[in-house]
Amino acid sequence: MNTPQDTPIRYLKGIGPKRAKVFAQAGINTVEELFYYFPRRYEDRTNFVPVAGLKPGEIQTIRVKVLALGQHDSWRLPAGRQGRRRFNITEVAVGDNTGKVSCVWFNQPYLANYFKPGTEVILYGKVELYGVKLQMSNPEFEVLADEADARLAAGGLVPVYSLPAGFSQRSLRRLIKNALDKYLPRIKECLPYDIRKRNNLLNLARALINIHFPENPELQKEAYRRLSFEEFFLFQLPIILRKLKRKDKIGIAHKAEGELLKDYISRLPFQFTASQKKVIEEIKLDMASSSPMQRLLQGDVGSGKTVVAICASLMAIQGGYQVAFMAPTEILARQHYEKVKAEKKLNIKLLTSSLDKKEKEKIYRGIKEGKIDLVIGTHALLEEGVRFRKLGLVIIDEQHKFGVSQRALLSAKGANPDILIMTATPIPRTLAITLYGDLDASIINELPPDRLTVKTLLFEQSRKAEAYRLARQELKAGRQAYIIYPVIEESYALDIAGAKKMFSELKTGEFKDFKLGLIHGKLKQEEQDRVMLVFKSNKIDMLVSTTVLEVGIDIPNATCMIIEHAERFGLSQLHQLRGRVGRGSAESICLLISDGGTIQASGRLAAMIKYSDGFKIAEEDLKIRGPGEFFGRAQHGLSELKIADPLAQMQLLKRAREEVVKLLNLDERLENRQNILLKEKLAQRFPDYEKFMIAAG
Ligand code: ADP
Ligand code: MG
């Protein structure tokens, strides 16, 4: 029999091709991956309510016996349902020694198989008063048909999962339970014994069973601790490995002072801010030294990171080296390109996947022969054909959009080139160390002095017309505006306007005197780029958009941003969106339209009005959302953490980090017998791991 790791999930009973596909979409292909599909929460079923104590209107749990079962068809309308149709109704009378209650399910005739009179069941749902009778409609249920079932419910904490299509809580629980019963004994422990012992960690099998079906609340906590430790550990390992490797490497000592740089700076139409000067000095020192630079440049939107990156490029180029500058989207790459292409003394090229083969090949040649000094591009830079003659510096914009392995891939195109990574997403300091522990950090913590703070105003829905009027004023003065919607298509259920419909409404209504454009995520990338370019060349006055409006878009003539249903956006997201205006010397406005909503939503809007500094906003965001949610997003490279919570479990994270350092100091290549399984697990988690080890080594 195979291990959970190499058993495809379709070998499990009850998994046909359809279900296997649903799981595959969620990234679950093997039984082991199913084990790592953790519950979202638990229901405490120790508190069973005696039937006599049930209160109508409340969600309650009862443990009862089936007394009688009946099924019939009905034309009667179940409460709250539309249309007159034939219904199959399964009605089950259940009770304990304090009373009776009736349960009904609609159109699930197969349920009759489960509710044999005399069987013990647990029911969970809302209790209603139906006439004078107590009734539960469509309650969740657990049939305690056998020993295993009874045990499953006995711990009290029952797992509740996010359900893949076609599953009920019950069927998913059964599936996971059966898989655990069958395959758990063969699971391979990845954490070496010493480490588990020193940190009082459960073994993997015990942790997995108790994360899904806790024997008791204490063991659930222990399981959570063990699995979080494992995540931290596996997450930190490559980071620290890179750091160790870097110390042994010899990179390029660039000629960081020189004519190209001096000349460029002397021609800039502005003075550097103190922060920019400091950061440029840090980079200069780093690049001049022979150990490879790996530097993270953090700075709020509009703080002037790009100019700094160009300075770094010149430091490399003036000594005869080439530079690769990678941005996450074509439009951003092009924007960077536009900023430097006028530099006469340099050969600068833009490389994106939309170029045709011939153009690409020409650029490949130029790169290979060393004729191109600076190539700016997207993922296209990672392609095989891109070979440098003398790559000296790699610059990566918006770090969180790229994986670590992509970073490694690009730098492997040179011999230990220097690396500069830029990000506009501020993160609290303690976390920065853990996440980017292999990098040195530079921070630009001020905006250019000519920058006016974006005036931010809040309008209730009923006063929306005023916001539109302000926007029209901007447009009449020859400036441009963005109007952002949370969704593409409107939703009646939520009463939200969508970008598409509003585009056609606005262009014949409130903004009929102006040219409007529409951009959203369902348009092809080329189409999005095309619309952005038209907007940039000022042929569109107002752009109707969803949040696809890219981070980093720099159009100084856009001075007005309207955000509709502002309560539906996260705080950091609102801040990034607002960063699209206020990029020139004219005063800009950001108009939030919202009726508030939850307390949290109001908190976010208040913070937007009060603060303009990105680091301050990030702190507030953290306070409002709590660390779990803040880092729950697929950003910061933290998406690999499924249950561990770096802020709430700071101590555990530190322990994991210490253990990683200890382990790597003893066995850097993970070749000792007790570390073999760990290496396997790493390779499995990070498919590019081998490549990456090579790049790191
Ligand atoms: P970031 O990449 O950090 O979001 P950019 O580098 O795109 O910011 O800079 C935003 C704008 O500010 C650009 O148009 C840039 O030319 C300009 N800029 C950069 N540094 C300064 C400065 N010290 N003073 C005035 N304007 C600046
Ligand atoms: Mg930028």
mmCIF file of all heavy atoms in Angstrom, residues 585-612:
data_model
loop_
_atom_site.group_PDB
_atom_site.id
_atom_site.type_symbol
_atom_site.label_atom_id
_atom_site.label_comp_id
_atom_site.label_asym_id
_atom_site.label_seq_id
_atom_site.Cartn_x
_atom_site.Cartn_y
_atom_site.Cartn_z
ATOM 1 N N SER A 585 1.867 67.756 -9.580
ATOM 2 C CA SER A 585 1.932 68.855 -8.623
ATOM 3 C C SER A 585 0.563 69.499 -8.395
ATOM 4 O O SER A 585 0.415 70.340 -7.524
ATOM 5 C CB SER A 585 2.962 69.882 -9.072
ATOM 6 O OG SER A 585 2.781 70.149 -10.442
ATOM 7 N N ALA A 586 -0.449 69.113 -9.183
ATOM 8 C CA ALA A 586 -1.789 69.661 -8.941
ATOM 9 C C ALA A 586 -2.445 68.922 -7.778
ATOM 10 O O ALA A 586 -2.177 67.753 -7.555
ATOM 11 C CB ALA A 586 -2.639 69.506 -10.195
ATOM 12 N N GLU A 587 -3.307 69.628 -7.045
ATOM 13 C CA GLU A 587 -3.972 68.968 -5.925
ATOM 14 C C GLU A 587 -4.941 67.892 -6.424
ATOM 15 O O GLU A 587 -5.638 68.070 -7.402
ATOM 16 C CB GLU A 587 -4.736 69.974 -5.073
ATOM 17 C CG GLU A 587 -5.451 69.279 -3.922
ATOM 18 C CD GLU A 587 -5.949 70.243 -2.863
ATOM 19 O OE1 GLU A 587 -6.876 71.005 -3.168
ATOM 20 O OE2 GLU A 587 -5.417 70.219 -1.740
ATOM 21 N N SER A 588 -4.947 66.758 -5.738
ATOM 22 C CA SER A 588 -5.828 65.666 -6.145
ATOM 23 C C SER A 588 -6.880 65.389 -5.088
ATOM 24 O O SER A 588 -6.693 65.711 -3.911
ATOM 25 C CB SER A 588 -5.010 64.393 -6.367
ATOM 26 O OG SER A 588 -4.188 64.534 -7.491
ATOM 27 N N ILE A 589 -7.974 64.772 -5.535
ATOM 28 C CA ILE A 589 -9.026 64.407 -4.592
ATOM 29 C C ILE A 589 -9.391 62.926 -4.724
ATOM 30 O O ILE A 589 -9.339 62.351 -5.794
ATOM 31 C CB ILE A 589 -10.319 65.246 -4.789
ATOM 32 C CG1 ILE A 589 -10.697 65.297 -6.280
ATOM 33 C CG2 ILE A 589 -10.149 66.642 -4.225
ATOM 34 C CD1 ILE A 589 -11.999 66.016 -6.554
ATOM 35 N N CYS A 590 -9.727 62.343 -3.579
ATOM 36 C CA CYS A 590 -10.205 60.965 -3.555
ATOM 37 C C CYS A 590 -11.578 60.991 -2.897
ATOM 38 O O CYS A 590 -11.719 61.425 -1.751
ATOM 39 C CB CYS A 590 -9.242 60.090 -2.762
ATOM 40 S SG CYS A 590 -9.821 58.407 -2.554
ATOM 41 N N LEU A 591 -12.602 60.571 -3.637
ATOM 42 C CA LEU A 591 -13.969 60.673 -3.153
ATOM 43 C C LEU A 591 -14.521 59.283 -2.860
ATOM 44 O O LEU A 591 -14.718 58.479 -3.764
ATOM 45 C CB LEU A 591 -14.825 61.374 -4.213
ATOM 46 C CG LEU A 591 -14.201 62.671 -4.764
ATOM 47 C CD1 LEU A 591 -14.968 63.182 -5.966
ATOM 48 C CD2 LEU A 591 -14.116 63.739 -3.679
ATOM 49 N N LEU A 592 -14.697 59.015 -1.588
ATOM 50 C CA LEU A 592 -15.202 57.703 -1.181
ATOM 51 C C LEU A 592 -16.707 57.787 -1.078
ATOM 52 O O LEU A 592 -17.242 58.674 -0.424
ATOM 53 C CB LEU A 592 -14.622 57.320 0.185
ATOM 54 C CG LEU A 592 -13.101 57.354 0.307
ATOM 55 C CD1 LEU A 592 -12.674 57.164 1.756
ATOM 56 C CD2 LEU A 592 -12.492 56.282 -0.581
ATOM 57 N N ILE A 593 -17.398 56.869 -1.740
ATOM 58 C CA ILE A 593 -18.851 56.874 -1.659
ATOM 59 C C ILE A 593 -19.297 55.635 -0.910
ATOM 60 O O ILE A 593 -18.965 54.513 -1.295
ATOM 61 C CB ILE A 593 -19.470 56.905 -3.061
ATOM 62 C CG1 ILE A 593 -19.030 58.202 -3.729
ATOM 63 C CG2 ILE A 593 -20.985 56.801 -2.981
ATOM 64 C CD1 ILE A 593 -19.468 58.363 -5.142
ATOM 65 N N SER A 594 -19.991 55.850 0.196
ATOM 66 C CA SER A 594 -20.347 54.713 1.029
ATOM 67 C C SER A 594 -21.344 55.103 2.102
ATOM 68 O O SER A 594 -21.337 56.231 2.599
ATOM 69 C CB SER A 594 -19.094 54.164 1.701
ATOM 70 O OG SER A 594 -19.466 53.179 2.632
ATOM 71 N N ASP A 595 -22.202 54.156 2.437
ATOM 72 C CA ASP A 595 -23.070 54.370 3.582
ATOM 73 C C ASP A 595 -22.494 53.708 4.828
ATOM 74 O O ASP A 595 -23.198 53.477 5.798
ATOM 75 C CB ASP A 595 -24.475 53.825 3.295
ATOM 76 C CG ASP A 595 -25.239 54.762 2.373
ATOM 77 O OD1 ASP A 595 -24.821 55.938 2.264
ATOM 78 O OD2 ASP A 595 -26.225 54.334 1.746
ATOM 79 N N GLY A 596 -21.247 53.385 4.795
ATOM 80 C CA GLY A 596 -20.597 52.833 5.989
ATOM 81 C C GLY A 596 -20.688 51.335 6.048
ATOM 82 O O GLY A 596 -19.885 50.648 5.467
ATOM 83 N N GLY A 597 -21.691 50.824 6.706
ATOM 84 C CA GLY A 597 -21.778 49.371 6.826
ATOM 85 C C GLY A 597 -21.286 48.936 8.189
ATOM 86 O O GLY A 597 -21.584 49.574 9.195
ATOM 87 N N THR A 598 -20.510 47.869 8.233
ATOM 88 C CA THR A 598 -20.075 47.330 9.510
ATOM 89 C C THR A 598 -19.171 48.310 10.257
ATOM 90 O O THR A 598 -18.679 49.282 9.680
ATOM 91 C CB THR A 598 -19.263 46.049 9.299
ATOM 92 O OG1 THR A 598 -18.081 46.394 8.577
ATOM 93 C CG2 THR A 598 -20.047 45.013 8.536
ATOM 94 N N ILE A 599 -18.951 48.026 11.519
ATOM 95 C CA ILE A 599 -18.060 48.859 12.324
ATOM 96 C C ILE A 599 -16.666 48.862 11.717
ATOM 97 O O ILE A 599 -16.014 49.896 11.606
ATOM 98 C CB ILE A 599 -17.979 48.314 13.768
ATOM 99 C CG1 ILE A 599 -19.337 48.509 14.448
ATOM 100 C CG2 ILE A 599 -16.880 49.009 14.557
ATOM 101 C CD1 ILE A 599 -19.411 47.963 15.842
ATOM 102 N N GLN A 600 -16.244 47.685 11.262
ATOM 103 C CA GLN A 600 -14.925 47.575 10.645
ATOM 104 C C GLN A 600 -14.817 48.442 9.410
ATOM 105 O O GLN A 600 -13.838 49.145 9.210
ATOM 106 C CB GLN A 600 -14.641 46.139 10.250
ATOM 107 C CG GLN A 600 -14.469 45.221 11.437
ATOM 108 C CD GLN A 600 -13.787 43.940 11.013
ATOM 109 O OE1 GLN A 600 -13.793 43.589 9.845
ATOM 110 N NE2 GLN A 600 -13.179 43.262 11.965
ATOM 111 N N ALA A 601 -15.869 48.405 8.586
ATOM 112 C CA ALA A 601 -15.857 49.187 7.358
ATOM 113 C C ALA A 601 -15.765 50.672 7.688
ATOM 114 O O ALA A 601 -14.991 51.414 7.081
ATOM 115 C CB ALA A 601 -17.099 48.889 6.533
ATOM 116 N N SER A 602 -16.529 51.116 8.677
ATOM 117 C CA SER A 602 -16.471 52.526 9.057
ATOM 118 C C SER A 602 -15.083 52.873 9.558
ATOM 119 O O SER A 602 -14.576 53.962 9.307
ATOM 120 C CB SER A 602 -17.486 52.839 10.153
ATOM 121 O OG SER A 602 -18.733 52.297 9.816
ATOM 122 N N GLY A 603 -14.457 51.939 10.277
ATOM 123 C CA GLY A 603 -13.096 52.144 10.779
ATOM 124 C C GLY A 603 -12.123 52.355 9.632
ATOM 125 O O GLY A 603 -11.259 53.228 9.682
ATOM 126 N N ARG A 604 -12.296 51.566 8.588
ATOM 127 C CA ARG A 604 -11.397 51.696 7.438
ATOM 128 C C ARG A 604 -11.557 53.049 6.764
ATOM 129 O O ARG A 604 -10.574 53.709 6.423
ATOM 130 C CB ARG A 604 -11.710 50.584 6.418
ATOM 131 C CG ARG A 604 -11.365 49.194 6.893
ATOM 132 C CD ARG A 604 -11.316 48.227 5.732
ATOM 133 N NE ARG A 604 -12.612 47.964 5.129
ATOM 134 C CZ ARG A 604 -13.424 46.968 5.488
ATOM 135 N NH1 ARG A 604 -13.078 46.165 6.471
ATOM 136 N NH2 ARG A 604 -14.571 46.779 4.876
ATOM 137 N N LEU A 605 -12.815 53.448 6.594
ATOM 138 C CA LEU A 605 -13.057 54.725 5.923
ATOM 139 C C LEU A 605 -12.508 55.875 6.760
ATOM 140 O O LEU A 605 -11.898 56.810 6.235
ATOM 141 C CB LEU A 605 -14.552 54.902 5.647
ATOM 142 C CG LEU A 605 -15.158 53.815 4.747
ATOM 143 C CD1 LEU A 605 -16.653 54.028 4.559
ATOM 144 C CD2 LEU A 605 -14.455 53.791 3.391
ATOM 145 N N ALA A 606 -12.696 55.785 8.071
ATOM 146 C CA ALA A 606 -12.178 56.838 8.957
ATOM 147 C C ALA A 606 -10.660 56.910 8.852
ATOM 148 O O ALA A 606 -10.072 57.999 8.791
ATOM 149 C CB ALA A 606 -12.606 56.561 10.401
ATOM 150 N N ALA A 607 -10.011 55.749 8.803
ATOM 151 C CA ALA A 607 -8.550 55.728 8.709
ATOM 152 C C ALA A 607 -8.073 56.351 7.392
ATOM 153 O O ALA A 607 -7.062 57.045 7.346
ATOM 154 C CB ALA A 607 -8.033 54.297 8.830
ATOM 155 N N MET A 608 -8.826 56.111 6.326
ATOM 156 C CA MET A 608 -8.468 56.682 5.033
ATOM 157 C C MET A 608 -8.502 58.204 5.069
ATOM 158 O O MET A 608 -7.692 58.879 4.443
ATOM 159 C CB MET A 608 -9.445 56.197 3.949
ATOM 160 C CG MET A 608 -9.119 54.861 3.357
ATOM 161 S SD MET A 608 -7.593 54.896 2.432
ATOM 162 C CE MET A 608 -8.136 55.744 0.930
ATOM 163 N N ILE A 609 -9.477 58.731 5.804
ATOM 164 C CA ILE A 609 -9.609 60.178 5.854
ATOM 165 C C ILE A 609 -8.529 60.766 6.754
ATOM 166 O O ILE A 609 -7.962 61.812 6.492
ATOM 167 C CB ILE A 609 -11.034 60.544 6.340
ATOM 168 C CG1 ILE A 609 -12.004 60.207 5.203
ATOM 169 C CG2 ILE A 609 -11.127 62.000 6.734
ATOM 170 C CD1 ILE A 609 -13.439 60.188 5.596
ATOM 171 N N LYS A 610 -8.178 60.022 7.793
ATOM 172 C CA LYS A 610 -7.225 60.534 8.771
ATOM 173 C C LYS A 610 -5.770 60.411 8.314
ATOM 174 O O LYS A 610 -4.966 61.311 8.548
ATOM 175 C CB LYS A 610 -7.425 59.747 10.071
ATOM 176 C CG LYS A 610 -6.721 60.345 11.264
ATOM 177 C CD LYS A 610 -7.371 59.864 12.556
ATOM 178 C CE LYS A 610 -6.462 60.158 13.741
ATOM 179 N NZ LYS A 610 -6.659 59.171 14.811
ATOM 180 N N TYR A 611 -5.405 59.288 7.688
ATOM 181 C CA TYR A 611 -3.995 59.036 7.393
ATOM 182 C C TYR A 611 -3.692 59.024 5.904
ATOM 183 O O TYR A 611 -4.513 58.596 5.100
ATOM 184 C CB TYR A 611 -3.569 57.683 7.963
ATOM 185 C CG TYR A 611 -3.767 57.550 9.444
ATOM 186 C CD1 TYR A 611 -4.727 56.679 9.952
ATOM 187 C CD2 TYR A 611 -2.990 58.293 10.336
ATOM 188 C CE1 TYR A 611 -4.917 56.544 11.311
ATOM 189 C CE2 TYR A 611 -3.176 58.160 11.701
ATOM 190 C CZ TYR A 611 -4.144 57.284 12.181
ATOM 191 O OH TYR A 611 -4.328 57.155 13.519
ATOM 192 N N SER A 612 -2.465 59.438 5.582
ATOM 193 C CA SER A 612 -2.044 59.307 4.188
ATOM 194 C C SER A 612 -0.772 58.479 4.060
ATOM 195 O O SER A 612 -0.396 58.075 2.976
ATOM 196 C CB SER A 612 -1.830 60.696 3.587
ATOM 197 O OG SER A 612 -0.907 61.414 4.368
#
